[in-house]
Amino acid sequence: MRLGDGKGGFPGVREVELDDRPFSVAAGDLDGDGDPDIVAVGGLRWLWVIRNEGRVQLAKPLRHEAVSFPSAVALGDIDGDGDLDLVCTALGEQGAVLDQVWLLRNEGNGSFAPAQSIPAGCEAETIAAGDFDGDGNLDLAVAGGLSDVVILHNGGGGAFTPAGRIEAGSGPTSLCAVDLDGDGRADLAVACSKSNRIKLLWGGKLLRP
């Protein structure tokens, strides 16, 4: 971890030691105290929460059980209760990519309820959360090792239904959801490892419930 100096530089290094191999990391205010915390997933089945106690004083990582072989993580208020929930993908036996994603709801204090399985409609290797249709609910974008991104529409409270499949490019390996054009709907940046490109997908064309 590197801390910004406010001038675009990142001097110095901070390290947090975990007790297994982390695969993916995200940041957000998990406990509602106004300070962004860190969450990581990886290893056999682990979720680590690293609380920010203010001025980047980081607490000892707390390890929780998540799902078997978690591979990617994203944070967002999926159920609309004001707390950041966690969504993740995971690998099966011998590294097989599964066609499911998992939702772990924030119980309001930075701890998470047991994982809830959601059908992904594709091999799910990476995931992002964003409001792609501007209805106020965070939807999910999921991609695997081929070429498509699947959009899962959040009808409210974290009830998801398939809502579209978009050709994204060869070998999508990472997704980032952000409103790039300022229209109030999240867009997607897709890292495509086999084509050596980053492809941009615009929110208004991603999901039409």
Side-chain angles (χ1 to χ4, degrees), residues 56-207:
V56 203
Q57 298 299 313
L58 300 178
K60 181 179 178 180
L62 297 176
R63 189 178 75 173
H64 307 272
E65 187 168 318
V67 297
S68 296
F69 305 110
S71 58
V73 63
L75 294 174
D77 184 8
I78 300 298
D79 53 13
D81 66 354
D83 302 312
L84 290 182
D85 308 300
L86 182 149
V87 287
C88 70
T89 59
L91 301 177
E93 294 183 2
Q94 298 180 345
V97 181
L98 302 179
D99 59 355
Q100 301 178 74
V101 298
W102 282 264
L103 167 63
L104 288 78
R105 298 176 190 266
N106 190 333
E107 297 188 318
N109 57 2
S111 61
F112 294 93
Q116 169 190 345
S117 170
I118 300 170
C122 70
E123 291 186 338
E125 188 174 359
T126 185
I127 191 168
D131 182 6
F132 300 121
D133 56 1
D135 68 352
N137 299 317
L138 287 185
D139 312 298
L140 299 180
V142 185
L146 297 176
S147 61
D148 291 345
V149 173
V150 170
I151 304 298
L152 302 177
H153 172 60
N154 184 353
F160 290 95
T161 55
R165 182 184 293 266
I166 302 101
E167 171 70 29
S170 183
T173 55
S174 183
L175 301 173
C176 178
V178 62
D179 183 5
L180 293 170
D181 56 6
D183 68 352
R185 293 174 293 202
D187 309 301
L188 275 176
V190 186
C192 301
S193 62
K194 295 181 180 179
S195 61
N196 301 327
R197 287 177 170 81
I198 294 175
K199 188 163 185 177
L200 302 181
L201 305 174
W202 305 108
K205 298 179 180 179
L206 290 175
L207 192 154

